[in-house]
Amino acid sequence: MPSREVVEAFAKRLEDGDFVGAIEQFCTPDAVTYENNAAPTVGRDKLVAKERGVLAATNEVKAERIGPSLIEGDHVATRWRFSFTNAEGVTRTLDEIAWQTWRGDQLIEERFYYDPKQLGR
């Protein structure tokens, strides 16, 4: 079960825009993420590469936590609002729920739930 301090430190890294650092510090080497019902991304190295790709495709990404993270045993739920600004200055906002499974203070699985229509897809 993650401590409140660890969950808060993870969230702060995201809020500070250090998305890659959050993955590197908190995810296990075999961590898995799921975007809605898409195939999983498996392994910290692949998660870092995917995140770097997202960041390279945008001029700016901002993360804002909406309310507290809820912790129940090994599970954490957090509501996020992400804003992505592209090279043309257009900003798209994504409101999502992140459902996480932790092993102690390490993140082993994260599932993101959101409506992809929010990003104009």
Side-chain angles (χ1 to χ4, degrees):
M1 174 170 78
S3 67
R4 169 64 61 188
E5 292 78 18
V6 166
V7 171
E8 292 299 320
F10 176 81
K12 178 138 180 40
R13 295 288 292 260
L14 298 181
E15 291 168 331
D16 289 346
D18 188 8
F19 304 103
V20 171
I23 294 167
E24 291 174 333
Q25 180 180 352
F26 293 99
C27 290
T28 61
D30 60 343
V32 179
T33 64
Y34 297 84
E35 297 276 341
N36 283 332
N37 292 321
T41 302
V42 180
R44 182 173 52 214
D45 293 343
K46 288 183 181 177
L47 297 173
V48 166
K50 182 177 177 181
E51 194 65 29
R52 285 190 172 130
V54 169
L55 295 171
T58 59
N59 276 4
E60 182 178 47
V61 180
K62 290 185 180 178
E64 175 188 5
R65 188 166 40 156
I66 310 299
S69 294
L70 306 175
I71 303 170
E72 179 64 35
D74 292 335
H75 300 286
V76 176
T78 306
R79 181 178 170 204
W80 290 97
R81 181 173 298 127
F82 290 94
S83 299
F84 302 88
T85 304
N86 66 20
E88 293 78 35
V90 175
T91 301
R92 300 204 189 277
T93 302
L94 177 69
D95 193 323
E96 75 174 22
I97 300 294
W99 176 259
Q100 302 170 331
T101 303
W102 292 72
R103 183 183 310 127
D105 289 340
Q106 293 286 291
L107 184 56
I108 61 172
E109 182 180 287
E110 192 165 29
R111 293 178 181 263
F112 304 108
Y113 297 98
Y114 57 88
D115 181 355
K117 292 179 185 174
Q118 295 176 86
L119 293 174
R121 295 180 188 160

